[in-house]
Amino acid sequence: MRRDDIVVSGHRVHEGAIASKADIPVLETSQAISILSEQLLEDQGVRRLGDALFNVAGVSRNNSYGFFDGFNIRGFNATSGATYLDGLLDDTGYGTSEIAALERVEVVKGPASGLFGQGPLSGIVNLVSKRPRDEAFLDMSIAGGSYDLFEMQVDGNAPLVADGSLLARLTAVYRNQDFFVDYSGQRRIFLAPSLTWKPGPDTSVTLLGRYVDDKINPWSPTTAYGTALPNPNGPVSIKRSINDGKYPAVQDNDYWSVGYVADHKFSDAIAVHQSLRYQDFHNSWDNWLFISSISPDFRSVGRFYYGPFEENGEYFRVDTNLSLRFATGPLSHYVLAGLDYGHRDSDQTNVFDPGPYWLDLYNPVYGTVSAPNPAVPGTTYASVTKQRGFYLQDHIKVGERLTVTLGGRWDRASSAITNNGTANPEVVDTAFSPRAGATLMLGESVSLYANYAKSFNPQGSYRASDGSTLPPERGVNYEAGIRVARADGSLRAMATLFELTRTNVATSDLSPTAAPNTYVLTGEQRTRGIELEGGWRPMPGVELTAAYSYLDAKVTSDSRLLVGARLSSVPRHIVNLWGRYTIQQGPLANLGAGLGVHHESNRPASTASATSTPFYLKGYALVDAALFYRFDDWSVQANIRNIFNERYFPTASLTRTTPGEPRTFMISLARRF
């Protein structure tokens, strides 16, 4: 199987990479970008995006529901509107990303609005699909593990013509597993075909397709009493299902997409790039129960019923840019100018039954909740969102040591919402998002950098509990740091100081009577912090990565929350260490082992207000290990995650506490043909 180097922040972006939209050397890049390689994700046995992002400084988990991908970047929630696929926003609803189909994960920290337009202040995550290659191969693997995991993967690649101008690749995954919560699990069928046409040395067009079919029994968060907090009746098992055991929650998540990435060089000075994708998606669920109340004796919980829910939609995005290289006297310019457009259209039907449907946590009786109250009326919701943007950036080199990057983007975003057949007025937001950065070379492998950027994030499609829409979120970021990048790739490191401030913050409304997917505004919030991140190969066979973050995330102005209060679910300290050693020679050559530690310090379960004081979630440390052995065309790998079976809770509230996954193991066998 192909083995890439482990790469962390500061890696020179591959040609056509989307994280910076430009081929700028690492030591001239004035923004923090982290890259996780395919090899690192394979070594760690990662199957979830949130677990992969543990390797990135400044990233922590944020997930109210426990099942979907959720994460913070630099102390702010980046779960919604921050995940991109091949440089285009990936917004198909309520699914999880397929790690097996990726050749790397790129994380841009701080505002990316100067190039990408609307998005969270915290940053974005760009998933890069596997593309066709020049060589022919067929990789097949089978894996099994905890909770009846069974998985098969196929990754095949071949040139279709002798001169290599037409290449094809197919990645396929079948996965069937239970989750650690009773009566929950998932079956996934995933296909990702791709085709590259290279009619000449200066032109490349890659067609990218995806098909996902998920059949899921999702699980729901539990209560803090008996899990993250004491309960006079004793502890509550994190395996306890809040959903009905006889009529478990069901979810269907399926979508398909087709698009392309095209590049053409007119000369060494002029090039054009275009990315386009069309997606058709469908989400539905039923029998999904969530805690809404707790009995006075803390033994039972009341639940509301969510479903049947049905969503159908389509999503189209296209991004086109032109790059120019030229000189004006002593200044060398690398100009990027682009246009992009996005259109998302979806329709929903839903039933929200407030219940309450009671469940005894210590002696649950299932089979009592098979459908919502027929007297509860259903609702309909439709939305059409559009975005048009023009961006311009100039990367200027002044002599041999100094670079300056200046840019900005003009956006027009609109949303039109219809509730229960009543059309609301169209919401239109416009914004200019500037960015300015500079780098100074201190030597062949070291540079200083500084960056200023603003963000713009429309929220017209977000609903408050009263059905109204929210104004756009605004943000500003200041950061400075030092980068190290040896030419041979043996050492890469970055240290960063930053401050992010955002206003008109939308957060999930977790009040007991609030329906899921409703939001509230929480004023102004600020994060200041330090990030240290690096990768080192001190000798052949040894690879080490490390990431540390200090985050001071708090409320700076608010009419409801307590000014100065720490933001919910944000730890002050995050540490991630990973090391791999592979024997290079002798009878045990190609035998290797990996060991990792992930630590997050304590954090408030919620953000304090004048009338409520949050409880704190304890800090935790997770230890993972792996064993590898390759012989001829075969390889075998064993992974154990959370070796010491740490009981931990990444996010929590009194009614929605998300337990972390207990100890799991996975063994896989692979062969290359």
Side-chain angles (χ1 to χ4, degrees), residues 346 380-385 414-427 459-464 467-470:
S346 71
T380 62
Y381 176 81
S383 66
V384 178
T385 59
S414 64
S415 61
I417 294 174
T418 301
N419 274 308
N420 294 321
T422 301
N424 296 328
E426 183 182 39
V427 178
Q459 302 177 132
S461 62
Y462 284 15
R463 291 177 295 168
S468 63
T469 58
L470 304 183

Side-chain angles (χ1 to χ4, degrees), residues 325-349:
R325 297 179 186 266
F326 59 92
T328 55
L331 305 181
S332 297
H333 298 265
Y334 178 17
V335 174
L336 184 73
L339 291 163
D340 75 9
Y341 171 77
H343 179 111
R344 187 182 192 274
D345 190 340
S346 71
D347 295 280
Q348 300 176 7
T349 60

Side-chain angles (χ1 to χ4, degrees), residues 175-412:
R175 183 181 300 116
N176 199 326
Q177 66 180 129
D178 293 335
F179 301 132
F180 66 91
V181 177
D182 293 337
Y183 311 112
S184 65
Q186 177 185 24
R187 189 276 290 149
R188 164 167 286 185
I189 297 173
F190 177 92
L191 299 172
S194 54
L195 183 71
T196 294
W197 178 46
K198 296 186 290 186
D202 297 325
T203 304
S204 174
V205 180
T206 298
L207 302 178
L208 296 166
R210 283 204 169 200
Y211 171 76
V212 178
D213 180 14
D214 285 338
K215 304 294 184 184
I216 310 168
N217 296 120
W219 54 275
S220 296
T222 185
T223 172
Y225 293 112
T227 54
L229 292 175
N231 188 316
N233 301 285
V236 175
S237 172
I238 61 172
K239 297 181 179 181
R240 178 76 68 237
S241 176
I242 300 303
N243 292 303
D244 196 282
K246 184 176 180 181
Y247 305 101
V250 292
Q251 180 190 4
D252 286 344
N253 176 45
D254 58 85
Y255 73 88
W256 60 268
S257 67
V258 62
Y260 63 81
V261 177
D263 291 277
H264 177 70
K265 291 177 63 177
F266 294 97
S267 67
D268 290 340
I270 305 175
V272 65
H273 167 87
Q274 185 176 73
S275 298
L276 178 149
R277 183 169 65 243
Y278 171 82
Q279 296 173 304
D280 183 277
F281 60 92
H282 165 255
N283 299 291
S284 66
W285 59 69
D286 201 358
N287 299 88
W288 211 341
L289 300 169
F290 291 87
I291 296 176
S292 59
S293 58
I294 305 168
S295 64
D297 63 358
F298 300 100
R299 184 178 181 90
S300 300
V301 292
R303 300 165 296 171
F304 61 76
Y305 189 107
Y306 197 20
F309 171 91
E310 191 88 18
E311 179 184 34
N312 291 281
E314 57 184 9
Y315 197 23
F316 174 80
R317 292 196 72 91
V318 58
D319 181 13
T320 306
N321 60 62
L322 178 72
S323 60
L324 305 171
R325 297 179 186 266
F326 59 92
T328 55
L331 305 181
S332 297
H333 298 265
Y334 178 17
V335 174
L336 184 73
L339 291 163
D340 75 9
Y341 171 77
H343 179 111
R344 187 182 192 274
D345 190 340
S346 71
D347 295 280
Q348 300 176 7
T349 60
N350 182 39
V351 173
F352 173 70
D353 177 1
Y357 297 96
W358 289 95
L359 178 72
D360 187 331
L361 294 173
Y362 297 90
N363 185 26
V365 176
Y366 295 120
T368 61
V369 188
S370 60
N373 184 342
V376 175
T379 61
T380 62
Y381 176 81
S383 66
V384 178
T385 59
K386 300 177 183 179
Q387 177 184 338
R388 302 174 182 87
F390 168 71
Y391 54 90
L392 182 65
Q393 177 179 280
D394 191 2
H395 181 72
I396 307 167
K397 192 166 185 177
V398 185
E400 295 299 320
R401 301 170 66 88
L402 177 66
T403 68
V404 176
T405 303
L406 302 173
R409 176 175 166 127
W410 293 263
D411 272 292
R412 183 184 188 275

